[in-house]
Amino acid sequence: MPNNRGDRPVRVTTGTDGPMLIEGPVEVALPDGGVVRSDRFTVALCLCGRSARYPWCDTSHRRRPPRSGRQRNAQ
């Protein structure tokens, strides 16, 4: 897929307990060999494996504690 941003690199943002955010549009190669595409300006890829819309994040990670066992600081 051509990079329509010129020489500017694609930005990927990672967090500790959420999705990976990628500036779009993107094509994602799936483990089964399939490819899915999103034309959105930013896409959220599921890293927890709980999403019903995998590989896209549907915020399912918010409903359960992190798999790593880390607890967020209560404020």
Side-chain angles (χ1 to χ4, degrees):
M1 177 171 49
N3 181 349
N4 295 329
R5 295 172 193 85
D7 291 333
R8 195 179 86 193
V10 173
R11 180 176 298 246
V12 176
T13 305
T14 60
T16 56
D17 293 322
M20 178 181 296
L21 302 176
I22 303 173
E23 288 184 1
V26 298
E27 286 184 354
V28 178
L30 301 173
D32 67 2
V35 176
V36 292
R37 179 178 170 85
S38 175
D39 292 321
R40 297 181 65 119
F41 64 92
T42 300
V43 297
L45 293 181
C46 175
L47 297 179
C48 72
R50 297 178 179 136
S51 177
R53 299 184 59 229
Y54 187 84
W56 316 120
C57 177
D58 67 0
T59 69
S60 292
H61 62 273
R62 294 180 185 170
R63 293 185 282 278
R64 296 186 188 153
R67 287 187 177 184
S68 65
R70 289 178 283 177
Q71 298 294 326
R72 293 186 181 185
N73 295 335
Q75 295 180 351

